[in-house]
Amino acid sequence: MPPTHEDQVDAEDWEAFRHTERMADHWWWRPGWRPDRHYLTWYLVFQDQALTDYVAGFQDALADLEYLDPVPVDGLHMTVQGVAFADELPAETVNAIGKAADERCADIEPFTLTAGPIAAYPGGTFLRTAPWQPIAELRERLRAAIGDVLGPEAVPDEPARFKPHISVTYCNATPPADEVIRRLSQLRRQPSISLPVSSVDLLELRRDGHAYRWDIRHHTDLTG
């Protein structure tokens, strides 16, 4: 079989990372963020045991690299679509966005992804996921739901090339990248796993040290 688009992107990005000289600190404060400020965002939140075990295997293999912070077991996620800082929207508006998402996603059925291989960028390591089409469709429905409530012009801009992934570790320093490249060259041989997706959550996200934590503000089941 010819390589898929997702396979081609993974190969291109891996080749680019192989030429990276240094890692980057993921934990710098991005514009608008501060320790006491939370962000509303749509995530796929995973509590799948097969994924937990799969991620743990990679984290164990990288555990001696102190500049890589493992994502906690209860923090495995995929970022789908940002909304706004929590202090910018009253509770009734957040509730309305959740209800709009329920309506917009009412005909989306549960789907299955593959997770793997492991890959990297300067700020950390992550699992590729595929196929992208069902996630892209879900993301567009969520963007439409935000626009229904806030207006289309208020939907946050997103990168043109959305690349669904699940973070495994975040980098907390700027060491040479060569050891991460060497380790992942071996770890990328691990076979991928199947990952069911049946819901999406609107979270109030915060940074807690070197980890992301959240409270669920709305839960949308994908029932079709």
Side-chain angles (χ1 to χ4, degrees):
M1 292 179 59
T4 65
H5 173 67
E6 292 90 335
D7 290 337
Q8 291 176 330
V9 171
D10 176 64
E12 292 168 1
D13 286 356
W14 173 245
E15 183 62 22
F17 182 72
R18 287 180 61 246
H19 293 87
T20 298
E21 293 186 1
R22 303 194 74 84
M23 301 297 287
D25 185 359
H26 172 84
W27 299 111
W28 66 282
W29 288 102
R30 290 151 182 79
W33 282 82
R34 57 178 184 264
D36 61 344
R37 201 175 197 205
H38 300 174
Y39 190 72
L40 296 167
T41 184
W42 288 97
Y43 271 13
L44 300 184
V45 177
F46 300 110
Q47 298 175 334
D48 182 85
Q49 189 61 50
L51 177 65
T52 299
D53 294 343
Y54 190 59
V55 169
F58 293 122
Q59 291 178 342
D60 289 346
L62 300 168
D64 61 311
L65 303 181
E66 295 182 355
Y67 50 84
L68 294 181
D69 298 316
V71 174
V73 168
D74 58 354
L76 296 176
H77 67 275
M78 179 190 294
T79 303
V80 181
Q81 174 62 46
V83 179
F85 283 103
D87 57 12
E88 296 175 336
L89 299 180
E92 57 268 25
T93 301
V94 177
N95 292 338
I97 292 172
K99 292 178 180 178
D102 289 342
E103 296 173 0
R104 286 281 187 173
C105 298
D107 63 341
I108 295 182
E109 297 181 353
F111 52 90
T112 299
L113 302 174
T114 59
I118 192 169
Y121 71 112
T125 65
F126 60 90
L127 300 177
R128 296 287 185 188
T129 62
W132 291 358
Q133 187 279 328
I135 308 169
E137 173 65 21
L138 175 61
R139 178 172 172 268
E140 285 306 310
R141 301 290 188 93
L142 295 174
R143 289 176 63 82
I146 298 167
D148 290 342
V149 178
L150 303 182
E153 70 286 347
V155 180
D157 291 334
E158 296 289 334
R161 292 185 66 189
F162 177 58
K163 299 179 182 180
H165 64 277
I166 301 168
S167 292
V168 174
T169 66
Y170 293 116
C171 190
N172 61 36
T174 59
D178 54 352
E179 184 61 19
V180 176
I181 295 169
R182 188 184 72 80
R183 300 280 184 97
L184 264 60
S185 295
Q186 300 297 319
L187 293 173
R188 281 173 59 80
R189 299 175 184 175
Q190 294 288 336
S192 61
I193 63 168
S194 294
L195 181 62
V197 177
S198 59
S199 63
V200 63
D201 291 295
L202 177 58
L203 311 177
E204 184 171 330
L205 184 69
R206 64 187 184 276
R207 276 175 49 172
D208 183 3
H210 284 182
Y212 291 107
R213 297 296 187 184
W214 56 72
D215 296 307
I216 296 177
R217 298 290 299 271
H218 186 85
H219 177 85
T220 295
D221 285 314
L222 307 179
T223 62

